Structure formats: C-alpha cells, structure tokens
Amino acid sequence: MIRKLDKLYEGKAKVVYKTSDPDKLILHFKDKVTAFDGLKEEERKGKGILNNLISSLLFEILESKGIKTHYIRRLSDREMLVWKAERFLVEVVVRNVAAGSLVKRLDFKEGEFLKTPLVEFFYKSDKLKDPLICRSHIKLMNLAPEEAISFMEETALKVNSVLKDILKERNLLLVDFKLEFGKLPNNSVIVIDEISPDSMRIWDKKTGEKLDKDRFRYNLGDLLEGYRKILERIS
Ligand code: TMP
C-alpha cells in the first residue's frame, strides 16, 4: 500500500504530495478556479473531482495509444497517483481553432479553423506572466535540451490528433489545449500535470457552446455544468 506523505508543493489548482515510494507522487485536485494569472479567483465546489475524473480518463486514452504520461492510476475522487518527473518550465499549447491569446496577438478571428494545428511554447513563469517564447529562447535559457523540444512538439501533435478524434465522436470540438512535460530519472520525456477543461478549450460541435474554463473567465454560465457535460460525453 502506498502512503501519502508530506506536501511537496501547492499550486493554484492542485496540491502535490510525496509518497512512501520516492518515484511516485500524489496529485490532489482542489476546487479553486483561477484565471488571468490569478487575478480572478473563486471556489467552485466539486471542480477538483471533475478535473481529476476527466484528466484520468484522458490520460488513460493517451496511454492506450502509446503516449507516455505520468499517470499511474486514480486513487480517489480527488487524487491521482503519478510518476515523479522533473518538469520543464515550458507550456506547450496546440491550437486547431483560433481563440484566446491567439486572436489578441495576431490577425485571426475567434472560431476560425487553422489550416494546420499550431504549436506554441510559453515560458512557465508567474512573475513574467507565462510569455510566448520560441525554440531559440528555450535553448538560450536552457529550459529543455534540443531533442526534448522536438519530442514535446511531436508528442503534443500526437496528443492533439488522439484527443481531437475522440472528442469529435462525442460531438465536441477541441479548440486548443496546454500540455506540460517532465523528465523521468531514465531521461524519457513524458506528459505531466493535468489535461482538464481548466487547460483546454472545448466547444459543443453543433451549438458552439463553450464548455471549458472560458465560462469562468468571461462569465459565460455555470462552470461545472460545462465540465459535467464534457465528462458525461467522454465517459
Ligand atoms: P491562451 O489562448 O490563453 O494562450 O490559452 C491556450 C490554451 O492553453 C487554452 O486552452 C488554455 C490553456 N492555458 C493553460 O492551461 N494555462 C495557461 O496559463 C494559459 C495561458 C493557457
């Protein structure tokens, strides 16, 4: 039996615990919802449970397609057992449809389908508010070795193709999402963190209804109702 030990780290949406196995961690999903780098912050009772369930399901799907992630198994409503990895301070975003920061930054209209999926890198830095960076920045700042950058980009595109297809069958449109990666002691690079409606944009394919954290960011309706709709359709 694995035992939960001391808290290792507490983030905005999750708490990370050490365990009796030094190679494994426990992720605890909290009910806190934040947006705009923590400027907007609220509790939504039950959000942590939904994100744990959705993330677990999506990690299981990725693993079944041969994509390596930190996911081992779901332990309870709010907790997930994962492999301990050394995280890269890079967020990898994949976009299929223009939305969010892309439409603010460049001449794309919200809802416009991109000709090919777009991969972007962001520097994971609260102080700098996660700025957009390119491969040269990643190399110069030593955020990840060259091979890892290529691997993250290829893997992110694979994840996109798997998730896009699965969601499409359920009448859901995968607009964009963010992944994080880490390195295991054996040097393999794996997907870490969470894959939940906190870190993705998902729209209803027919009605265009936004079902993800944009509901909270822009007051578009009950947040958890959107998350529940996603969970129901992927279960
Ligand atoms: P963006 O349009 O704000 O750049 O976000 C792109 C996607 O990445 C969107 O699905 C939300 C997700 N994301 C995070 O999960 N964390 C972040 O800090 C940011 C900026 C975006």
Side-chain angles (χ1 to χ4, degrees):
M1 247 292 278
I2 203 137
R3 273 177 309 117
K4 184 157 115 183
L5 302 179
D6 304 343
K7 190 198 284 188
L8 180 67
Y9 170 81
E10 177 153 5
K12 284 177 281 198
K14 292 188 293 298
V15 189
V16 183
Y17 293 94
K18 292 184 198 166
T19 72
S20 46
D21 181 337
D23 295 330
K24 294 173 186 167
L25 300 172
I26 289 175
L27 300 189
H28 174 103
F29 287 76
K30 302 197 288 185
D31 285 342
K32 189 184 278 183
V33 202
T34 69
F36 311 119
D37 301 303
L39 222 65
K40 185 170 174 179
E41 179 182 313
E42 274 170 45
E43 291 282 317
R44 289 294 149 86
K45 207 158 172 44
K47 188 212 68 156
I49 297 176
L50 286 163
N51 273 0
N52 187 29
L53 286 170
I54 294 169
S55 276
S56 296
L57 276 168
L58 296 181
F59 276 134
E60 282 164 19
I61 290 169
L62 296 183
E63 289 282 343
S64 78
K65 302 284 180 186
I67 295 165
K68 298 276 176 265
T69 77
H70 70 163
Y71 179 80
I72 302 173
R73 67 192 148 91
R74 191 166 64 81
L75 295 173
S76 65
D77 271 7
R78 289 182 185 275
E79 294 189 331
M80 180 192 287
L81 186 68
V82 301
W83 295 107
K84 181 176 182 169
E86 194 187 322
R87 74 175 176 186
F88 297 115
L89 292 179
V90 174
E91 298 189 342
V92 184
V93 168
V94 183
R95 303 176 190 272
N96 298 303
V97 178
S101 70
L102 181 66
V103 302
K104 293 191 189 124
R105 204 182 327 119
L106 293 169
D107 262 341
F108 290 96
K109 296 264 174 303
E110 190 186 64
E112 182 180 341
F113 280 76
L114 304 177
K115 280 200 209 82
T116 56
L118 173 66
V119 181
E120 294 175 337
F121 300 106
F122 293 83
Y123 177 31
K124 203 170 159 59
S125 160
D126 283 338
K127 187 182 85 184
L128 298 173
K129 300 189 174 160
D130 298 355
L132 177 73
I133 51 176
C134 67
R135 290 174 83 103
S136 311
H137 295 108
I138 299 178
K139 273 188 271 173
L140 213 54
M141 295 191 289
N142 267 320
L143 300 180
E146 181 101 60
E147 321 81 69
I149 309 174
S150 302
F151 182 81
M152 289 192 278
E153 180 161 10
E154 285 160 28
T155 307
L157 287 169
K158 256 190 234 166
V159 169
N160 182 49
S161 132
V162 170
L163 295 185
K164 196 168 64 172
D165 289 351
I166 295 272
L167 294 171
K168 191 175 167 189
E169 291 165 14
R170 322 285 159 103
N171 227 342
L172 295 168
L173 176 66
L174 178 59
V175 172
D176 57 34
F177 62 95
K178 181 264 304 177
L179 293 181
E180 295 186 28
F181 290 85
K183 193 179 76 173
L184 290 174
N186 70 7
N187 275 327
S188 58
V189 175
I190 59 170
V191 180
I192 61 164
D193 198 55
E194 67 183 272
I195 309 181
S196 76
D198 271 14
S199 57
M200 325 168 80
R201 286 195 176 90
I202 296 182
W203 298 350
D204 182 287
K205 238 183 154 57
K206 283 216 185 80
T207 64
E209 187 189 9
K210 294 175 176 171
L211 302 172
D212 53 76
K213 198 164 92 173
D214 271 352
R215 294 168 82 93
F216 170 75
R217 291 192 187 94
Y218 304 109
N219 305 314
L220 304 176
D222 181 8
L223 181 76
L224 298 194
E225 188 189 311
Y227 286 27
R228 266 185 235 111
K229 281 187 187 171
I230 294 173
L231 178 62
E232 274 164 25
R233 293 204 208 166
I234 64 171
S235 293

